[in-house]
Amino acid sequence: MIDIEDALGTCPIVAILRGLEPERAEEIGQALFDAGIRVIEVPLNSPRPFESIASLARLLGDRAVIGAGTVLTDEDVRAVAAADGRLVVSPNTDTRVIDETKWCGLISMPGFFTPTEAFQALAAGADYLKLFPGDAIQPKIVGALRAVLPPDRGIVVTGGVGRDNIADFFAAGARAVAVGSSIFKPGKPVEQIGADAAALIAAWRDGVPH
């Protein structure tokens, strides 16, 4: 089973599949994997999200990290674990959700926007920090946060990341980015989803110093 650091080392882009229907989970998951994505998040405000998470985990669970987004309660965390999800992502810093995530042996990625929230999340045991909303900040904010946060707790910028700015966030010190509408929207053809994911990965690689 792939470790999340190995997954992000292969491709530091988390695909957010908000609105995914379970009937499309496997074909879209395979298209994203073929494009190079190794971390996939299904927000819990999607239709029957735990079915999609379970389908993706059956298909890709040993080769990719599958998890849930918009996780707001302890009960949701336990349901993610029951569906064989491994990653719990929230839009906020809720220490109860972080505690339950770690109790269940899952990867914790709570959302934060201020240094205070970041350090609260770390004290509760967060593995990664989701900087949200990313489209409300300049990339240099990531660099300022990186200067004070522990180096082994990566920042994952979420919201407003696309081909035009992905390299800037990585240059500023982001460990990864999480991308939704630039890759996936409900009803979007699977071929286009794979092509857009590949184009975003290419934009990241083009911005990596050689």
Side-chain angles (χ1 to χ4, degrees):
M1 183 176 290
I2 190 170
D3 177 83
I4 189 168
E5 268 301 300
D6 291 337
L8 293 176
T10 299
C11 176
I13 298 171
V14 180
I16 303 173
L17 306 184
R18 190 177 306 279
L20 176 69
E21 296 177 338
E23 294 78 9
R24 300 192 70 201
E26 289 195 3
E27 65 169 354
I28 290 172
Q30 189 64 57
L32 291 171
F33 185 86
D34 291 344
I37 297 290
R38 295 295 181 268
V39 184
I40 299 173
E41 165 194 337
V42 180
L44 295 188
N45 53 4
S46 304
R48 293 150 42 217
F50 299 111
E51 291 182 33
S52 293
I53 291 167
S55 292
L56 289 167
R58 283 194 298 270
L59 178 70
L60 299 170
D62 59 338
R63 298 173 289 159
V65 176
I66 309 300
T70 319
V71 180
L72 302 177
T73 68
D74 299 1
E75 292 80 5
D76 286 342
V77 174
R78 292 190 288 273
V80 173
D84 291 327
R86 297 169 54 200
L87 173 66
V88 171
V89 185
S90 301
N92 61 328
T93 300
D94 186 329
T95 57
R96 293 172 301 177
V97 171
I98 298 169
D99 287 344
E100 189 67 24
T101 300
K102 299 313 297 177
W103 178 260
C104 291
L106 307 183
I107 303 158
S108 173
M109 189 185 290
F112 83 101
F113 194 70
T114 68
T116 297
E117 291 172 337
F119 281 104
Q120 286 175 341
L122 291 173
D127 299 295
Y128 295 87
L129 297 168
K130 167 185 167 178
L131 180 53
F132 174 80
D135 46 7
I137 65 165
Q138 297 291 323
K140 64 183 179 181
I141 299 286
V142 177
L145 289 164
R146 276 265 50 96
V148 297
L149 292 172
D152 62 339
R153 293 295 182 266
I155 294 174
V156 181
V157 180
T158 307
V161 180
R163 279 180 277 178
D164 294 339
N165 62 5
I166 187 170
D168 295 333
F169 282 113
F170 282 111
R175 177 65 187 89
V177 298
V179 180
S181 58
S182 294
I183 295 177
F184 173 82
K185 292 179 182 177
K188 186 174 180 178
V190 66
E191 296 82 6
Q192 191 61 53
I193 292 168
D196 287 347
L200 192 63
I201 293 169
W204 157 64
R205 287 183 174 144
D206 288 345
V208 174
H210 296 287

